[in-house]
């Protein structure tokens, strides 16, 4: 056994190092950038090292656990731990946030604050995924809202204040329900508040109470995931944010909702989950089709990608609500895979926006010749997003399909209808994603702007997008990279559904 | 010889090296990679030749002892389901891999020259090799999931290659159309695979067939559901093989470079649908209604493709429709259960059509220097004619391909097509009549193409079709479309030509009987020599024959076209009819246990052959009647006017020809129908949903925000912070209260 507090170090390090930025001497942005990137890379290496040597994937229990009493009077602990469910998102966070920091290289305005906020996000996200205490979960949930709000409202586009306000209102509104749920679950039953997730797993509630808790948590996570009709903050936010923020939003923040759904709704409230899962499944199907058919109607490039994310989140909902091993594994795989693909698409959209300064798709066109590398990468990622085999999106969606098919819970006809609905999404996805890349890149257009803006992507941008592309291909070809981490834990979660 | 099979996995993976290396080379050492481009082409051809030798070896093994080999590796390990990767070597696989490798090698050699001036030379070879990988992977795959994976990958390669010249808006639209249409089929394929997994719990072909057969025999499954699943599986094949409702992508796919059209859209990828149906034939055989459906779709496609090919102006599009028609023949044969005939036709057609496409590519290549690089011009048969003396070798190869496709005896397609026609008599007389009729149509449209391109005079010079002196000015550059703007709108013929691509539908449907256009149409239809002006014959360049690198594959393909029929011709040795193909396919036949005895009565064969050949000759004769070039052009000019005058009277025959012409030129109105209903529908839905999203779902929180803003403002206004108003209201209410209480006290 090792007694080094790995997880505490991992969680604390970025925000601590980030606060040191403010004591730096005023000597240009360069040093701050390099410092931030070094910290991010160090953090990523630390995460990888800790997980490599101190984590056994075949063990469904909590590992690397830490437990320090924080506030004695209501039994609030600093309790961290990693299991098969959270290791994937933590690694994803480390990866995407590091790359987002690298992507934020051109940001020069107020770069101290910007980089501090990036590092604060880093801490908040990892803290959320690794917290084993319900109240700590809530605190981390709130903690990462503030940096996102500031990042949006200070470095966004023209309508940034509107979207930042919308974002904060939506998510804060969701947080109220989360807080109510946390307090309700924590204070139920015994005289002492229990906030430890391990003990809470074994607690059972009266059905009606469980349903109320479930709804409370669900609303909070539905805002974050997002689930229709609570999704409208997402396109606005993505449309306005700087692309490094977009990478974080699409890559990680959305996945928090999905993580919370599995971690709390599924694990703590199994009865309510099995009651709600049919309607969730219908919502998921509607979401896939609805968002996929909204997407072609968008003129704004980033909003179109944002709607495609919403559509892909539908697969996660269906995977979670299928209540099968396979489906849940597929949902986790989709969390990881969309984290990569969504982040990369936003990054590429942002970099091409930096060059052509056009947002609306119908004004674009013909930029494939000046920027062949961006063209290649963008087409590859739109292929990945439309679930081309060999890339991670395909295998995730396929496994979700299997989960639905093998699910014991549903009857023949509903299964057929839901599978059919999901598969309609397969037809709609290429319509929007290919027409997006056609409108951007294909065709021929003479630009009146001087040529200096039209350099192809440089080594930094190329590195960021290839770095994301490799895991997409890797997972697509050998999905066990991710599945081997989560299989045991998924089985443990689902065994609850059969024992009770 | 067990060990050969163990290494069969290199069949798909060997060509994969090339795209990987080219990709990384372009990324890291772009200059060096571009300078060494011939080496890449050479290495891809070399690797493919190794694969070809290997698959030849496998094929010989298969002929000698029919045994099926299967190797599996597990791909994902999960408790509930495990996906496996593997390869399956059986006769079907070995036939297909032989076919793919031979055609692909020839096409690669050809395209070295064809693409040599293109900026995307390396990209082209990378795509091609990747296509070969995925196509070979498709034919060697051992389960349905693997088939689906490679199925999508070939679709993606096709998308990339159709959109190869991505600066052309037409190509951009065409590649998206192809991908989306294929996605509709993939949707069916995926659902079908899932459905059969649900029924049988297996993806492996043989397990699946066994379990399914047992289930059907014991009546354990809902037969309606089975039929639905089988139909969905078949939908995948319909889209990929360009069968009737989903054929619309194939003619548009001709926007890609011509070697692509030869390899992907004529010989291999479009045959993937046939391959899939052949692979799953044991499954479909259990469900007779699906077999009816397959043959029905097949016969519709045969007829539709044949009629649509009648009046196309673009040489490649005519060939595309002819491909579609021939694929319909194969599908028909499969639907009739004659597995062998379908595969035979697949092989012979692949070689003949590859020959034709490569020949047309050579033509286009030589025409491009004369008329310009726009596909509207260089592929336009209106501007060709009289090319015999300029490109003799291409002409010979094209003629042989044409004759083969028409079904003239010693050539390849005769044997296979005759077999299908034969079987169709046994199956259903109506289908047989349609099939024979279309055989005549095939001969007609193929000879129409041949006569228009090679006989008569070169029309490109005789006609001042653009109103400018030099052809190089207005030729649309390969990388752009802007040249179109400079075209003089007064010349009706030209507007017709240029609009044809984009606005064919609307143009024709609005005013099909307007007199002047009609006259123009008829001129083009009948003679194609509408001489407007003789004075502008200042262009010195003539089309000339392509390079040897391009002619070499053509000649090899001529040999193939001549001799590939042998594998299906029964040699009477010691009393038993024995041909190589039957021997090859024996094990599969046993699996199918139908059609295994292939007793061909030579007398009956002769009668049928005579019938089909005479129908073909009749078609050729009619083609000569219509398209025989009149060498005395001046006289012909008067004749056309005569025709026009007669046309005013609207003779029945003329009307009929007009109808057929419009039908064909408008692509059977199917594209227009899809554009009107499906595409507009999807767009309208998208608009509607995004409106709903923006106004209503987003409107609620916005309205909430605005309301709270106004409420806050109102409160702020009320509580404005003026002491005097506070005092006023305070005393006002106090006095009211006081009065009130005073009143109460007064009453009591």
């Amino acid at each position: 056994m090792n007694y080094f507090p790995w997880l505490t170090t991992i969680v604390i390090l970025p925000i601590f190092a980030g606060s040191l930025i403010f004591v730096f001497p005023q000597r240009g942005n360069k040093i701050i950038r390099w410092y931030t990137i070094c910290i991010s890379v160090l953090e990523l290496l630390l995460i990888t090292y800790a997980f490599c040597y101190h984590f056994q994937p075949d063990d469904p229990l909590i590992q690397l656990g830490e437990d320090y009493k924080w506030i004695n009077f209501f039994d609030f602990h600093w309790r961290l731990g990693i299991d098969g469910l959270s290791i994937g998102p933590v690694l994803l966070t480390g990866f995407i946030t590091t790359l987002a920091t690298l992507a934020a290289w051109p940001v020069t305005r107020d770069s101290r604050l910007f980089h501090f906020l990036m590092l604060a996000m880093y801490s908040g996200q990892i803290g959320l995924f690794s917290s084993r205490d319900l109240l700590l979960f809530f605190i981390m949930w709130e903690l990462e809202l503030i940096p996102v709000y500031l990042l949006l409202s200070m470095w966004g586009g023209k309508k940034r204040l509107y979207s930042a306000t919308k974002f904060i209102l939506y998510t804060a509104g969701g947080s109220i329900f989360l807080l109510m749920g946390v307090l309700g679950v924590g204070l139920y039953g015994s005289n002492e508040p229990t906030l430890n997730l391990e003990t809470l797993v074994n607690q059972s509630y009266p059905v009606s109470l469980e349903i109320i808790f479930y709804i409370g948590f669900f609303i909070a996570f539905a805002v974050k995931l997002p689930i229709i009709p609570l999704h409208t903050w997402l396109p606005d936010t993505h449309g306005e944010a700087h692309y490094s923020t977009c990478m974080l939003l699409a890559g990680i923040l959305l996945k928090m909702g999905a993580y919370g759904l599995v971690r709390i709704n599924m694990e703590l409230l199994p009865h309510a989950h099995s009651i709600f899962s049919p309607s969730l499944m219908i919502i998921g199907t509607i979401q896939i089709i609805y968002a996929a058919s909204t997407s072609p109607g968008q003129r704004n490039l980033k909003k179109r990608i944002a709607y495609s994310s919403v559509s892909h989140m539908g697969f996660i909902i269906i995977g979670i609500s299928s209540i099968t091993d396979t489906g849940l594994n597929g949902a986790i795989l989709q969390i990881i895979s969309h984290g990569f693909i969504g982040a990369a698409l936003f990054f590429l959209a942002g970099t091409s926006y930096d060059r052509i300064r056009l947002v609306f798709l119908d004004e674009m066109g013909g930029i494939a010749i000046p920027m062949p590398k961006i063209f290649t990468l963008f087409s590859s990622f739109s292929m990945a997003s439309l679930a081309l085999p060999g890339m991670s999106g395909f295998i995730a969606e396929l496994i979700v399909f299997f989960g639905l098919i093998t699910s014991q819970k549903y009857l023949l006809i509903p299964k057929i209808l839901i599978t059919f609905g999901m598969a309609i999404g397969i037809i709609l996805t290429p319509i929007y994603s290919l027409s997006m890349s056609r409108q951007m890149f294909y065709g021929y257009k003479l630009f009146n702007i001087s040529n200096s803006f039209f350099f192809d992507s440089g080594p930094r941008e190329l590195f960021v997008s290839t770095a994301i592309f490799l895991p997409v291909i890797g997972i697509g070809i050998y999905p066990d990279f991710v599945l081997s981490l989560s299989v045991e834990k998924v089985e443990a979660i689902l065994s609850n559904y059969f024992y009770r | 010889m067990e060990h050969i099979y163990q290494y069969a996995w290199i069949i798909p993976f060997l060509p994969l090296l090339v795209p990987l290396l080219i990709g990384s080379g372009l990324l890291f050492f772009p200059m060096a990679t571009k300078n060494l481009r011939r080496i890449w082409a050479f290495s891809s051809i070399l690797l493919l030749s190794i694969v070809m030798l290997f698959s030849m070896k496998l094929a010989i093994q298969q002929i000698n002892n029919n045994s099926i080999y299967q190797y599996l590796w597990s791909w994902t390990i999960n408790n509930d389901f495990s996906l496996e990767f593997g390869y399956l070597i059986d006769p079907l696989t070995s036939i297909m891999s032989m076919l793919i490798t031979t055609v692909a090698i020839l096409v690669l050699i050809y395209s070295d020259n064809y693409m040599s001036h293109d900026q995307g030379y390396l990209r082209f070879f990378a795509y091609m090799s990747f296509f070969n990988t995925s196509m070979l992977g498709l034919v060697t795959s051992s389960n349905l999931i693997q088939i689906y994976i490679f199925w999508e990958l070939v679709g993606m390669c096709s998308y990339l290659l159709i959109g190869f010249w991505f600066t052309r808006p037409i190509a951009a639209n065409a590649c998206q159309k192809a991908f989306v249409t294929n996605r509709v089929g993939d949707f069916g394929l995926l659902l079908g695979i899932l459905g059969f997994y649900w029924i049988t719990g297996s993806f492996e072909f043989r397990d699946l067939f066994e379990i399914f057969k047992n289930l059907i025999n014991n009546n354990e499954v809902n037969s309606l559901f089975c039929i639905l699943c089988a139909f969905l599986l078949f939908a995948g094949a319909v889209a990929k093989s360009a069968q009737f409702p989903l054929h619309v992508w194939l003619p548009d796919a001709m926007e890609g470079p011509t070697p692509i059209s030869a390899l992907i859209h004529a010989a291999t990828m479009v045959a993937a649908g046939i391959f899939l149906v052949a692979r799953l034939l044991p499954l479909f055989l259990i469900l007779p209604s699906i077999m009816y459906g397959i043959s029905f779709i097949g016969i519709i496609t045969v007829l539709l493709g044949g009629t649509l090919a009648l009046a196309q102006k673009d040489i490649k599009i005519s060939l595309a429709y002819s491909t579609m028609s021939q694929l319909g023949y194969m599908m028909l044969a499969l639907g009739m259960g004659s597995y062998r005939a379908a595969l035979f036709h697949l092989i012979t057609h692949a070689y003949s059509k590859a020959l034709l496409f490569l020949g047309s590519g050579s033509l286009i290549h030589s025409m491009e220097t004369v008329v310009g690089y726009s596909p509207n011009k260089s592929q336009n048969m209106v501007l060709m004619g009289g090319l015999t003396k300029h490109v003799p070798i291409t002409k010979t190869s094209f003629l042989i391909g044409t004759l083969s496709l028409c079904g003239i005896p010693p050539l390849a397609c005769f044997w296979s097509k005759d077999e299908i026609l034969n079987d169709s008599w046994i199956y259903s007389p109506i289908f047989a009549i349609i099939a024979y009729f279309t055989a005549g149509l095939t001969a007609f449209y193929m000879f129409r193409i041949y006569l228009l391109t090679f006989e008569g005079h070169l029309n490109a010079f005789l006609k001042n079709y653009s109103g400018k002196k030099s052809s190089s000015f207005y030729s649309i550059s390969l990388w752009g479309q802007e040249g179109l703007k400079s075209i003089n709108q007064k010349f009706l013929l030209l507007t017709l030509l240029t609009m044809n691509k984009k606005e064919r539908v609307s143009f024709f449907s609005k005013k099909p009987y307007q007199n002047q256009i009609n006259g123009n149409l008829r001129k083009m239809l009948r003679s194609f020599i509408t001489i407007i002006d003789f004075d502008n014959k200042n262009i010195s360049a003539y089309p000339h024959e392509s390079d040897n690198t391009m002619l070499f594959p053509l000649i090899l393909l001529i040999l193939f076209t001549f001799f590939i029929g042998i594998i299906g011709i029964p040699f009477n040795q010691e009393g038993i009819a024995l041909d190589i193909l039957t021997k090859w396919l024996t094990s599969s036949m046993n699996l199918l246990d139908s059609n295994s005895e292939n007793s061909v009565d030579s007398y009956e064969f002769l009668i049928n052959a005579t019938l089909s050949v005479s129908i073909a000759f009749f078609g050729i004769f009619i083609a000569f009647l219509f398209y025989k070039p009149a060498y005395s052009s001046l006289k012909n000019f008067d004749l056309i006017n005569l025709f026009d005058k007669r046309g005013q009277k609207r003779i029945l025959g003329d009307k009929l020809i007009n109808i057929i012409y419009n039908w064909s030129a408008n692509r059977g109105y199917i594209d227009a129908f899809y554009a009107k209903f499906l595409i507009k529908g999807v767009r309208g839905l998208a608009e509607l949903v995004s409106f709903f999203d923006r106004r209503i779902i987003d409107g609620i929180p916005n309205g909430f925000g605005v309301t709270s803003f106004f409420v806050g403002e109102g409160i702020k206004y009320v509580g404005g912070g003026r002491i005097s108003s506070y005092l006023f209201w305070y005393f006002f209410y106090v006095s009211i209260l006081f009065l009130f209480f005073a009143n109460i006290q007064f009453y009591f």
Side-chain angles (χ1 to χ4, degrees), chain B residues 378-392:
Chain B
S378 62
Q379 302 179 10
N380 200 332
M381 288 189 289
V382 178
L383 306 181
M384 295 180 188
L387 291 175
T388 315
K389 44 182 188 268
H390 306 301
V391 287

Side-chain angles (χ1 to χ4, degrees), chain A residues 162 166 170 229-233 235-236 290 293-294 296-298 307 324-326 329 368-369 373 375 383 386-390 394-395 398-399 401-402 405-406 411-412 415-416 419-420 423-424 426-432 434-435 437-438 441-444 446 462 466 476-480 483 487 491, chain B residues 26-27 30 74-81 83 85 119 123 127 145 148-150 152-153 156 159-160 163 165-169 171-173 175-176 179-180 183-184 186-187 190-191 193-195 197-198 203 222 225 228 232 479-482 682-683 685-687 689-694 697-698 701-702:
Chain A
Y162 167 75
K166 203 169 181 179
Y170 258 104
L230 300 173
H231 64 277
T232 48
W233 63 270
D236 280 324
Y290 177 85
S293 49
T294 318
Q298 304 298 319
Y307 273 104
T324 49
D325 258 4
T326 332
N329 272 320
I369 293 177
K373 284 174 187 161
F375 172 47
M383 286 291 171
L386 57 83
L388 190 82
F394 166 73
I395 187 77
L398 187 74
I399 293 178
F401 267 113
F402 282 128
I405 292 281
T406 50
L411 297 174
L412 180 74
K415 258 195 211 173
I416 294 177
T419 319
F420 214 75
I424 287 175
I426 288 185
I427 302 181
L428 290 175
T429 318
I431 294 179
Y432 64 77
L434 291 186
S435 65
S437 91
R438 175 174 57 90
F441 294 104
Y442 287 62
Y444 191 81
L446 286 176
L462 207 61
T466 357
I477 288 173
Y478 193 66
D480 274 4
L483 289 181
V487 163
E491 218 167 284
Chain B
L26 279 180
L27 205 63
S74 68
W75 182 33
T76 62
I77 308 146
N78 198 330
N79 288 8
D80 277 356
F81 82 112
L83 290 179
F85 246 157
Q119 293 176 19
R123 197 157 54 95
Y127 289 169
I145 287 296
Y148 182 80
I149 288 172
F150 287 115
E152 287 269 292
L153 287 180
M156 184 205 69
Y159 166 81
L160 291 174
W165 288 315
F166 49 80
T167 46
R168 287 181 186 163
N173 290 335
C175 66
Q176 193 184 354
F179 197 90
V180 172
R183 252 300 158 98
V184 175
D186 295 343
F187 156 84
L190 182 64
L191 286 182
I193 291 171
L194 289 174
Y197 178 69
W198 194 349
F203 295 120
N222 187 354
F225 183 61
L228 179 72
L232 286 170
W479 297 97
Q481 189 76 323
E482 78 268 57
V682 169
R683 284 206 181 128
L685 182 76
E687 287 297 316
V689 173
S690 59
F691 177 80
F692 175 77
D693 198 68
R694 208 171 55 246
I697 293 186
D698 206 19
N702 280 345

Side-chain angles (χ1 to χ4, degrees), chain B residues 106-107 109-114 354-355 358-363 365-366 390-398 454 544-559:
Chain B
L106 294 176
V107 168
I109 295 170
Y110 178 89
S111 45
D112 169 51
N113 194 295
Y114 192 87
L355 175 61
L358 292 186
S360 76
S362 163
L363 277 182
H365 213 59
S366 44
H390 306 301
V391 287
I393 302 175
T394 310
K395 180 239 172 186
T396 320
S397 57
F398 202 90
F454 291 106
H544 37 73
E545 187 67 284
S546 313
D547 281 348
N548 288 336
T549 340
M550 272 163 84
L551 295 178
F552 170 68
L554 283 181
I555 291 164
L556 275 187
L557 277 172
I558 290 175
L559 293 182

Side-chain angles (χ1 to χ4, degrees), chain A residues 203-282:
Chain A
Q203 187 155 23
S204 60
Y205 310 92
V207 174
S208 54
L209 194 62
E210 200 174 328
I211 288 175
I212 291 172
F213 288 155
Y214 190 89
I215 294 175
F217 282 118
F218 180 73
I219 291 175
F221 298 138
V223 168
K224 203 74 170 202
L225 188 57
I227 297 175
I228 50 166
L230 300 173
H231 64 277
T232 48
W233 63 270
L234 184 90
D236 280 324
T237 311
H238 280 279
E240 297 304 322
H242 185 260
Y243 56 83
S244 58
T245 318
C246 273
M247 285 172 77
L248 290 184
L249 273 170
I252 303 154
L253 254 73
L254 306 190
K255 312 306 176 291
M256 286 183 181
Y259 175 78
L261 269 183
V262 181
R263 176 63 83 201
I264 292 179
N265 283 15
M266 254 190 111
E267 224 181 334
L268 300 189
L269 311 164
H271 286 292
H273 185 67
S274 57
I275 293 169
F276 274 99
S277 59
S279 43
L280 265 186
M281 203 156 243
I282 294 168

Side-chain angles (χ1 to χ4, degrees), chain A residues 293-345:
Chain A
S293 49
T294 318
S295 188
Q298 304 298 319
R299 286 177 66 228
N300 188 326
L301 166 66
K302 282 180 161 182
K303 281 191 180 180
R304 194 175 272 203
I305 305 175
Y307 273 104
S308 92
S309 313
V310 177
S311 173
H312 284 112
M313 291 301 112
F315 282 96
I316 296 182
I317 301 172
I318 289 178
I320 288 173
S321 54
S322 74
I323 321 190
T324 49
D325 258 4
T326 332
L328 193 52
N329 272 320
I332 291 170
L333 199 56
Q334 175 81 339
I335 289 175
I336 307 286
S337 128
H338 182 266
F340 289 125
I341 297 169
L345 277 178

Side-chain angles (χ1 to χ4, degrees), chain B residues 520-589:
Chain B
N520 246 327
L521 280 184
R522 198 156 302 137
K523 275 175 209 164
M524 286 159 51
L525 230 184
R526 295 290 144 67
S527 77
F528 286 90
I529 307 174
T530 39
I531 301 144
I532 296 167
D533 200 355
F534 269 122
D535 297 337
N536 280 338
K537 273 192 349 186
N538 57 351
I539 308 158
S540 57
Y542 273 97
H544 37 73
E545 187 67 284
S546 313
D547 281 348
N548 288 336
T549 340
M550 272 163 84
L551 295 178
F552 170 68
L554 283 181
I555 291 164
L556 275 187
L557 277 172
I558 290 175
L559 293 182
F560 270 117
T561 312
F562 262 109
F563 297 114
I564 203 70
I566 289 173
I567 64 164
I569 305 169
F571 298 107
N572 271 321
Q573 285 178 340
E574 298 126 27
I576 37 167
L578 187 75
D579 56 322
I580 300 170
L581 194 66
T582 317
K583 204 178 160 192
W584 207 342
L585 290 174
T586 318
S587 64
S588 311
M589 298 276 198

Side-chain angles (χ1 to χ4, degrees), chain B residues 388-581:
Chain B
T388 315
K389 44 182 188 268
H390 306 301
V391 287
I393 302 175
T394 310
K395 180 239 172 186
T396 320
S397 57
F398 202 90
L399 180 63
I400 286 167
T402 307
L403 286 176
S404 164
L405 211 62
C406 296
I408 305 299
L411 297 165
C413 271
F414 162 73
W415 303 102
S416 53
K417 196 188 247 183
D418 206 55
E419 210 164 297
I420 294 176
L421 293 177
N422 250 340
D423 288 348
S424 67
W425 268 125
I426 306 162
Y427 187 70
S428 146
I430 301 171
F431 282 16
I433 289 165
I434 298 174
Y436 271 99
F437 173 67
T438 316
L441 277 185
T442 310
F444 175 75
Y445 65 71
M446 285 315 295
F447 259 82
R448 170 177 172 272
I449 296 171
Y450 171 76
L451 292 172
L452 285 181
T453 44
F454 291 106
E455 298 297 322
H457 296 293
L458 189 59
N459 295 323
F461 295 154
L462 297 177
K463 198 181 307 162
N464 180 10
Y465 58 89
S466 80
K468 289 197 179 177
K469 298 270 179 180
S470 162
S471 62
S472 61
F473 265 7
Y474 53 83
S475 72
I476 295 166
S477 89
L478 207 57
W479 297 97
Q481 189 76 323
E482 78 268 57
L484 267 180
K485 282 167 198 157
S486 61
I487 287 160
N488 197 341
Q489 289 292 322
K490 278 176 196 166
F491 286 86
L492 236 166
L493 186 67
L494 181 73
T495 47
L496 200 77
L497 291 178
T498 49
M499 286 174 82
N500 261 342
K501 278 279 183 181
K502 279 174 279 179
E503 300 176 32
R504 182 176 281 158
V505 174
S506 62
F507 187 75
F508 277 102
S509 55
K510 270 179 202 156
K511 31 187 179 177
Y513 291 110
Q514 214 186 49
N515 209 5
Q516 202 174 8
I517 299 167
N518 208 8
N520 246 327
L521 280 184
R522 198 156 302 137
K523 275 175 209 164
M524 286 159 51
L525 230 184
R526 295 290 144 67
S527 77
F528 286 90
I529 307 174
T530 39
I531 301 144
I532 296 167
D533 200 355
F534 269 122
D535 297 337
N536 280 338
K537 273 192 349 186
N538 57 351
I539 308 158
S540 57
Y542 273 97
H544 37 73
E545 187 67 284
S546 313
D547 281 348
N548 288 336
T549 340
M550 272 163 84
L551 295 178
F552 170 68
L554 283 181
I555 291 164
L556 275 187
L557 277 172
I558 290 175
L559 293 182
F560 270 117
T561 312
F562 262 109
F563 297 114
I564 203 70
I566 289 173
I567 64 164
I569 305 169
F571 298 107
N572 271 321
Q573 285 178 340
E574 298 126 27
I576 37 167
L578 187 75
D579 56 322
I580 300 170
L581 194 66

